[in-house]
Amino acid sequence: MSPVAVGRSIPSVQSDYEAVGSYIEIANMTAYDSGSRNSKKAIICAYEFVGFHPNLEQICDLLAAQGYRVVMPDFFRGNWWGIERLRAEGIQAFIDWMNKNIPWENVLDDIQNVVAELRNDGAENFGILGLCWGGKLAVLASYEDAFTASVMIHPVLVNDDDAIGVQCPIAILLSKDEPDFRPFTEYLRKEPFGHQIIHKRFEDMPHGFASSQGDFSKQLIAKRVDEAFIQNCQHPYTCDPIKDVNHQELIYNHAYAGASVT
């Protein structure tokens, strides 16, 4: 069993990286845009609540280098929460603020508007990647048939019941700090796409290691970030695990592009 090969190597993250994308306006939002606008495959990257960050720009560029157009919209429209503010006010204050200022239904409308504009530019297949806060959005957006696959990395605010209604395969990539996602995963295993669910926990990484809080100059963190995107994704909770899979390209081909594993 193997995914479709992309035919090119996947680079590793760097601590001194310089972004190659640009900032554009899309669906009445500023967005980081990377990759060819002629690509038929598009990925929407949902950032964490701290907003744009060089680490996330680099991740968008790495995905774009595989032939995707990657767009990271500013769903908060500049009203980001910093780590220090979250520590001072607490997660409940953030949730209350978000429910008042940018409720999920508004963000999902933004997602649909972004998809519409990308379609106008020629994109036909869509995936969504969410980190931290964006992980919750990656789940909610997967209720719509616009997306062929979803990926969430060290997500927050995701509940077991959020699995109900998911319409596409999800890669669930966790740090040591997230709660138990096995009930969430096991529910999705019962869906027609259940054999395509990926569940991986990085037991030696803290929450945020693959986003703005990750120090890519540290060898172990950089290695784990690489693994989160390009290798070592397995199916530990199914009785018929996928075998003989080239894990280095599984995320790019199966999860992001929506290619089936047969």
Side-chain angles (χ1 to χ4, degrees):
M1 301 182 228
S2 62
V4 180
V6 292
R8 55 171 76 88
S9 62
I10 300 170
S12 299
V13 295
Q14 305 169 23
S15 61
D16 57 350
Y17 182 81
E18 293 186 8
V20 299
S22 60
Y23 281 90
I24 64 168
E25 293 297 316
I26 187 170
N28 296 315
M29 292 178 286
T30 300
Y32 184 74
D33 184 26
S34 187
S36 172
R37 295 194 179 187
N38 295 322
S39 177
K40 301 297 184 182
K41 300 175 181 178
I43 298 169
I44 296 175
C45 178
Y47 56 29
E48 56 187 329
F49 53 77
V50 301
F52 296 129
H53 189 274
N55 286 359
L56 300 182
E57 293 174 347
Q58 180 173 182
I59 287 170
C60 290
D61 290 347
L62 292 179
L63 295 174
Q66 303 308 305
Y68 305 99
R69 182 179 180 185
V70 186
V71 174
M72 178 169 57
D74 183 10
F75 297 108
F76 282 44
R77 291 172 169 79
N79 297 313
W80 309 324
W81 273 56
I83 297 298
E84 294 305 319
R85 181 179 179 185
L86 182 68
R87 289 172 178 167
E89 299 186 30
I91 188 66
Q92 188 58 53
F94 169 70
I95 293 172
D96 293 342
W97 175 87
M98 183 178 166
N99 288 338
K100 179 180 178 180
N101 294 279
I102 49 169
W104 289 114
E105 54 266 28
N106 290 5
V107 183
L108 291 170
D109 285 344
D110 286 337
I111 286 279
Q112 293 304 313
N113 291 334
V114 171
V115 167
E117 291 205 24
L118 293 174
R119 285 192 193 280
N120 287 338
D121 287 344
E124 298 176 354
N125 298 315
F126 299 89
I128 183 165
L129 161 67
L131 302 97
C132 305
W133 171 86
K136 173 82 167 188
L137 182 56
V139 175
L140 298 180
S142 68
Y143 295 175
E144 304 295 331
D145 59 7
F147 294 98
T148 57
S150 174
V151 177
M152 55 179 174
I153 301 180
H154 41 66
V156 298
L157 307 177
V158 178
N159 303 310
D160 291 341
D161 288 346
D162 290 336
I164 302 172
V166 169
Q167 300 294 315
C168 66
I170 293 183
I172 306 157
L173 307 179
L174 310 169
S175 77
K176 65 180 180 63
D177 296 323
E178 280 76 59
D180 186 2
F181 268 74
R182 283 176 294 182
F184 182 97
T185 302
E186 289 162 2
Y187 179 89
L188 293 178
R189 293 282 184 208
K190 300 173 184 177
E191 296 297 319
F193 51 81
H195 65 290
Q196 296 178 299
I197 302 300
I198 295 171
H199 180 290
K200 171 72 177 179
R201 185 178 292 274
F202 296 88
E203 297 287 359
D204 56 358
M205 287 289 106
H207 175 81
F209 75 94
S211 56
S212 68
Q213 300 173 63
D215 184 352
F216 291 178
S217 68
K218 294 184 177 180
Q219 184 176 4
L220 181 59
I221 293 177
K223 179 181 179 181
R224 294 293 183 255
V225 173
D226 290 344
E227 290 173 356
F229 285 96
I230 64 177
Q231 61 182 336
N232 200 30
C233 291
Q234 303 176 16
H235 294 244
Y237 303 116
T238 177
C239 60
D240 183 22
I242 289 179
K243 298 178 181 178
D244 302 324
V245 171
N246 181 347
H247 296 305
Q248 186 176 8
E249 295 180 343
L250 183 59
I251 285 289
Y252 285 96
N253 292 283
H254 155 52
Y256 288 117
S260 60
V261 179
T262 59

